[in-house]
Amino acid sequence: MKNFALLIIAIVCYLAASRAEAGQCRPYTPPVKRVVCQPVYSHTKVIACRTECRWALDHCGRRYSYEVKVVTYADVYTDGTLRTYTQEVQA
């Protein structure tokens, strides 16, 4: 019985050694995790500011002019992207 157990152990050791020599054994490499980072808001800057003349009708149907201040802003994010938008304010 001891001879049979020693024979089994010898066969297992031989097979393990032959697989290691054949390149079956590889060093452990941890799995790569992809990290997706969302851009974070950094600051807002003014791109353009101008005054425009607009026309409207009063309650009698007469035209009158008024000025509107148009400001174009850009929100800057940490990855360098910009989000632009405009706002109109009656001057």
Side-chain angles (χ1 to χ4, degrees), residues 2-80:
K2 287 183 182 180
N3 290 337
F4 183 70
L6 289 175
L7 179 66
I8 296 294
I9 291 173
I11 291 173
V12 169
C13 289
Y14 173 75
L15 291 176
S18 65
R19 284 189 180 167
E21 291 174 3
Q24 297 291 331
C25 249
R26 295 186 192 129
Y28 173 74
T29 56
V32 177
K33 293 183 181 178
R34 289 187 174 211
V35 178
V36 179
C37 295
Q38 296 293 329
V40 178
Y41 169 80
S42 176
H43 63 278
T44 300
K45 64 181 180 178
V46 176
I47 295 178
C49 182
R50 64 183 185 277
T51 303
E52 293 182 358
C53 185
R54 301 279 172 93
W55 293 89
L57 300 174
D58 64 3
H59 67 281
C60 295
R62 294 181 296 232
R63 288 181 57 178
Y64 67 95
S65 67
Y66 64 96
E67 290 184 347
V68 174
K69 184 177 181 180
V70 179
V71 183
T72 303
Y73 296 99
D75 288 341
V76 181
Y77 292 89
T78 53
D79 63 349

